[in-house]
Amino acid sequence: MATPLLAALLAAALLASPAAPAVSASGGTIVFTTLGRSRYEFDIFSLPLAPSPHNPAAEELRLTDGVSVNYNGNFAPASDSILFVSERNGSLNLYLSPVPSSRREALESASSSSATLSPLLPWEPIALKDRPSLTPDGSRLVYVSTAVPAAEPRSSWAAVYSTELSTGRTRRLTPLGVADFSPAVSPSGEWTAAASPGAAGWSGEVEDLRTDIYVFRTADGSRRSLAIRDGGWPSWADETTVFFHRRDSDGWYGVYRAEISVTGDGVEAASVERITPPGFHTFTPAASPGAPGLVAVATRRAGSDYRHIEVIDVSDDGKNAYFEVTRPVAPRVHHFNPFISPDGARVGYHRCRGRGNGDSPLLLENIKSPGSPDTFSLFRIDGSFPSFSHDGKKIAFVGLPGMYVVNPDGSGGRRKIFSGNAFSTSWDWKRNGVIYTSIGPDFASESTEVDVVAISLGDDDDETISMKKLTVGGENNAFPSPSPDGKWVVFRSGRSGNKNLYIIDAEDGEAGGIRRLTEGPWSDTMCNWSPDGEWIAFASDRHAPGSGSFAIYMVHPNGTGLRRVVHSGDGGRTNHPWFGPDSKSLVFTSDYAAVSAEPVSNPHHYQPYGEIFTVHIDGSNIRRLTHNSFEDGTPSWTPYLLEPRDVGETLQASGRCAFQDCHWLNIQDAAQPEELIYGKSC
């Protein structure tokens, strides 16, 4: 029997060292990052179309719950409800909520709506659901979904669907083999307009998708016609007038008005005119029959790092006058994707509900995945390059800059173990508390000084941290991954003038020996050693050196057996492979499913096409795990099954709005003075 003193010591030890999650033989946990998503805190708000100049902030109403991530709203026709996208409880769906009539009612309804609202669509299959509209009679919901895979790699799964709300009967309105974005239903409900690349598909754009606008019958997708060339984000003002945005040759986004007509062959544009001048960006227009002659737009004006909502009077007597809506209320907050109420009284938009900027608490967010919840978990982390320790008790990740370690259950908070810029993390299999990483600039040339280091953490009672540099010369040595026997580390290096793979001693680094694993005038990078020790997976452009196109390859540690596992296609990017616990599968990030939304409708994403996939190492059974319009990346896989109940409340805190607008909007017109350049902080 244990003595009281021994019992107390055992209890203290248990509190100091969190228990590891259970091991899952077939699934485990995948942890990944989504660029900026943990910081969004989006809610939908509205203001009068012409706010009071005296106290406009008092007139702003929050229309959603203040807890979930809510965006891309639309007022429901002929009702006092708002239709919107919401990410909650690990899944993404569409919801319909009453519109409050006052700030007090908004606060009261928001406190109860999060628990009582039911999604309009079943969450299976797990897919993106976006840009919703209701037909005028409220019977059918029109929206974008990624529910059905595209037939070809690097093709978008985004398509327009119509669901009958009373029965759940769903019809695809977009032809197979084609992608549609940003649908808008006409005031009569007879027609839907959508932006589409057409049969040509997506060619890798990460800024303006250069879509055309097609119009088709809302009932069944028939009579599909190319109505407007080179346009996106359509919005109907009436049954014959459509507003849309276009990025012109001068680099500026502008809003256009098209008058369309119905012919025997379909729908065509009778006239198209630009209503906004160059010199600043205007995009994502919104019109309403209830506000004739007015169109709401998002703008990025010279000298401002923020996008705001403005209203333009495009009537014959309005002379295209602009009226500010959001800047007087929240000048240093981004406002996205306006929409106007059916009666023309209010304009809605989404923005971050928080007002501050800065670091957020660590966030581990459980995401619904196609795997069984008993054997497989998927978590988003507010950080990059996460990895689990091999006892399952800790997670390392980087903040770009900074490197941190945290207990999965949130106990003890997050511990900063390095303040400089580090990228990639991987734990030693045999030596407790040893983490390999690379320190120096990321996305750099072969000759840039970057080195592989081993960071050794002390025991739970020892805060000592030591660092040992394992590489010599600093020619972009990065992405270290240790062998499961604890003897070796594979990494990429640019020491030959090209980025190839090398293997060094795990403890002594290059001083203990170095061996070149791959050789060629290409880039081999992002390597990961399999748990059984048999394979090293890596990303490479060896099929098209210098093209920027990457595929995933595997090779034995002795240099034999090289083969390609998965590639999304010419120009495609498939990166960051990580082996599953059984060494028979890989998780990776890729543009395999192309883009799912117009990039300008979101905050900045370097690669607004990244999703998380798994694949068997023979290249079969490619499986999409995430569905969103953001950039998912840097996944890792542990055999430990982390469940939502295992994550402490301290890890569930929301972000703090620290994200930027699209970097490619930061252009300067040659005629403007230098001090008016956009994006001084970007």
Side-chain angles (χ1 to χ4, degrees):
M1 180 178 294
T3 66
L5 177 59
L6 180 58
L9 291 173
L10 288 171
L14 288 173
L15 288 173
S17 180
V23 173
S24 170
S26 59
T29 300
I30 291 172
V31 183
F32 69 98
T33 188
T34 303
L35 180 69
R37 162 58 181 77
S38 302
R39 315 296 177 94
Y40 286 174
E41 275 195 317
F42 285 151
D43 263 316
I44 296 176
F45 295 79
S46 76
L47 276 165
L49 208 62
S52 165
H54 304 295
N55 188 14
E59 298 179 292
E60 187 181 51
L61 298 180
R62 191 181 74 207
L63 307 183
T64 46
D65 65 2
V67 177
S68 310
V69 177
N70 308 298
Y71 54 93
N72 285 358
N74 211 339
F75 287 109
S79 71
D80 295 325
S81 296
I82 183 172
L83 180 64
F84 61 98
V85 181
S86 185
E87 297 181 30
R88 55 182 71 189
N89 303 320
S91 62
L92 184 153
N93 215 312
L94 305 178
Y95 292 81
L96 191 64
S97 176
V99 174
S101 59
S102 66
R103 291 171 67 88
R104 179 175 180 177
E105 184 181 332
L107 291 172
E108 292 173 349
S109 62
S111 63
S112 59
S113 65
S114 181
T116 58
L117 284 184
S118 297
L120 296 178
L121 300 168
W123 73 273
E124 292 284 6
I126 297 164
L128 174 141
K129 303 168 183 69
D130 199 9
R131 195 85 201 278
S133 297
L134 281 173
T135 53
D137 61 3
S139 64
R140 280 182 292 170
L141 179 66
V142 178
Y143 55 97
V144 167
S145 178
T146 55
V148 177
E152 300 294 330
R154 211 162 181 254
S155 298
S156 178
W157 297 19
V160 176
Y161 293 81
S162 170
T163 295
E164 192 176 77
L165 292 180
S166 61
T167 64
R169 189 179 297 112
T170 298
R171 176 193 290 268
R172 179 180 172 126
L173 304 182
T174 301
L176 291 174
V178 175
D180 278 340
F181 310 104
S182 314
V185 177
S186 71
S188 70
E190 183 177 0
W191 301 99
T192 292
S196 175
W202 181 63
S203 59
E205 299 93 341
V206 298
E207 300 178 5
D208 175 37
L209 298 185
R210 292 296 178 186
T211 53
D212 299 321
I213 293 176
Y214 288 77
V215 176
F216 46 85
R217 285 197 180 277
T218 306
D220 55 11
S222 64
R223 298 190 68 185
R224 182 182 178 97
S225 305
L226 181 108
I228 303 165
R229 290 198 177 275
D230 190 12
W233 204 267
S235 179
W236 299 82
D238 53 49
E239 206 64 18
T240 61
T241 306
V242 173
F243 289 92
F244 62 95
H245 64 215
R246 172 188 293 169
R247 193 178 189 186
D248 285 304
S249 58
D250 56 20
W252 300 106
Y253 266 94
V255 168
Y256 286 73
R257 174 172 51 197
E259 298 299 327
I260 63 173
S261 60
V262 178
T263 68
D265 297 326
V267 178
E268 62 182 22
S271 65
V272 175
E273 63 173 328
R274 183 171 179 167
I275 65 168
T276 61
F280 62 99
H281 292 296
T282 54
F283 42 82
T284 59
S288 169
L294 300 179
V295 58
V297 298
T299 66
R300 273 287 303 275
R301 287 190 174 268
S304 174
D305 292 335
Y306 298 91
R307 65 171 74 182
H308 283 291
I309 307 304
E310 300 184 41
V311 173
I312 312 172
D313 187 345
V314 296
S315 64
D316 292 339
D317 298 329
K319 300 181 180 179
N320 283 9
Y322 287 75
F323 303 94
E324 292 185 317
V325 177
T326 60
R327 193 192 63 80
V329 177
R332 298 182 62 81
V333 177
H334 292 300
H335 299 77
F336 296 86
N337 307 350
F339 54 99
I340 298 176
S341 61
D343 61 4
R346 299 186 73 85
V347 59
Y349 47 87
H350 64 266
R351 65 163 173 83
C352 205
R353 55 183 167 264
R355 300 297 178 96
N357 288 299
D359 289 339
S360 70
L362 177 69
L363 175 71
L364 272 177
E365 180 184 8
N366 179 239
I367 305 298
K368 299 292 186 185
S369 75
S372 165
D374 296 330
T375 60
F376 186 90
S377 288
L378 186 64
F379 277 84
R380 173 188 287 132
I381 193 169
D382 183 24
S384 297
F385 296 102
S387 65
F388 271 81
S389 61
H390 293 292
D391 61 6
K393 295 182 179 181
K394 295 186 183 298
I395 302 174
F397 67 98
V398 301
L400 299 172
M403 184 171 174
Y404 304 86
V405 171
V406 67
N407 300 330
D409 65 359
S411 61
R414 62 178 182 176
R415 180 184 180 190
K416 192 172 189 176
I417 63 172
F418 181 68
S419 59
N421 196 63
F423 57 101
S424 80
T425 67
S426 190
W427 296 74
D428 191 275
W429 292 77
K430 300 296 183 182
R431 293 183 293 154
N432 187 41
V434 174
I435 307 169
Y436 299 96
T437 189
S438 40
I439 58 173
D442 48 281
F443 297 106
S445 66
E446 286 81 356
S447 61
T448 303
E449 185 175 352
V450 181
D451 276 300
V452 170
V453 300
I455 298 177
S456 299
L457 309 180
D459 297 331
D460 292 319
D461 295 330
D462 183 3
E463 293 294 319
T464 303
I465 298 173
S466 62
M467 180 183 294
K468 183 175 182 179
K469 192 168 79 165
L470 300 182
T471 53
V472 177
E475 294 96 346
N476 212 329
N477 305 296
F479 295 103
S481 179
S483 61
D485 62 8
K487 295 180 179 180
W488 312 102
V489 170
V490 64
F491 67 103
R492 77 106 195 269
S493 178
R495 63 188 62 205
S496 70
N498 299 297
K499 294 176 181 177
N500 294 139
L501 303 186
Y502 296 77
I503 294 176
I504 55 174
D505 185 89
E507 293 194 55
D508 297 327
E510 289 192 49
I514 182 168
R515 173 169 60 88
R516 187 167 184 166
L517 180 61
T518 65
E519 183 173 358
W522 46 67
S523 291
D524 298 330
T525 187
M526 305 173 191
C527 41
N528 183 253
W529 211 309
S530 66
D532 64 7
E534 291 296 314
W535 291 100
I536 291 170
F538 60 98
S540 178
D541 68 348
R542 57 178 54 218
H543 53 278
S547 67
S549 173
F550 281 81
I552 290 175
Y553 293 80
M554 285 173 37
V555 66
H556 290 303
N558 64 5
T560 65
L562 176 72
R563 58 187 173 88
R564 191 165 76 182
V565 180
V566 62
H567 182 36
S568 63
D570 293 342
R573 293 196 174 191
T574 301
N575 289 322
H576 297 292
W578 194 287
F579 279 97
D582 61 3
S583 299
K584 296 178 181 179
S585 296
L586 290 161
V587 63
F588 61 95
T589 183
S590 180
D591 63 357
Y592 201 89
V595 293
S596 297
E598 293 190 59
V600 74
S601 67
N602 282 329
H604 183 68
H605 290 267
Y606 296 96
Q607 299 172 155
Y609 47 70
E611 303 286 349
I612 305 299
F613 295 80
T614 58
V615 64
H616 290 169
I617 61 173
D618 63 3
S620 66
N621 196 30
I622 296 175
R623 187 181 187 186
R624 182 175 179 175
L625 299 186
T626 61
H627 291 252
N628 57 61
S629 59
F630 313 133
E631 178 185 351
D632 297 332
T634 64
S636 68
W637 201 340
T638 177
Y640 294 93
L641 181 63
L642 186 65
E643 299 188 43
R645 64 174 179 268
D646 299 325
V647 177
E649 289 299 318
T650 58
L651 299 184
Q652 298 277 1
S654 296
R656 293 283 303 280
C657 307
F659 57 86
Q660 294 177 319
D661 201 2
C662 299
H663 288 190
W664 37 274
L665 294 176
N666 304 332
I667 67 172
Q668 179 190 12
D669 184 43
Q672 295 185 44
E674 182 71 22
E675 62 267 19
L676 293 183
I677 191 168
Y678 280 100
K680 295 179 286 294
S681 63
C682 294

